[in-house]
Amino acid sequence: MILTDDFCRRAALHSSRGRHVSRVFREIAAALPRVWAEGANWTGSQKEWRSKLIEGMAIWHSVFEELGRIE
């Protein structure tokens, strides 16, 4: 919950108007490591959570892409 607002602000940088949601999701997942840097005062737990979230998003997208469920 502590990181949710910052995550949402970073993810909102990508507009989905007129674009397939899977492409937008892929772009957000790819951009997050760059646009959502670890905070200077983040705990080890917060840093790990961010890392695992980004990793999980990439895995989710690649699995569904592999299954042919998304573009």
Side-chain angles (χ1 to χ4, degrees):
M1 295 298 294
I2 293 169
L3 302 176
T4 301
D5 288 341
D6 194 35
F7 165 78
C8 290
R9 278 192 296 277
R10 305 301 178 189
L13 296 174
H14 293 271
S15 173
S16 62
R17 283 178 282 175
R19 299 171 59 207
H20 196 279
V21 68
S22 67
R23 288 189 198 127
V24 174
F25 186 90
R26 179 180 56 229
E27 290 173 10
I28 290 170
L32 276 177
R34 184 181 80 266
V35 301
W36 189 31
E38 294 176 353
N41 296 323
W42 284 18
T43 65
S45 176
Q46 290 169 316
K47 292 175 184 179
E48 182 179 359
W49 184 88
R50 173 192 167 271
S51 176
K52 295 292 185 184
L53 175 69
I54 291 169
E55 178 184 12
M57 289 175 70
I59 291 169
W60 182 94
H61 189 274
S62 63
V63 167
F64 276 82
E65 194 172 45
E66 184 77 23
L67 294 173
R69 301 286 186 217
I70 57 178
E71 295 179 1

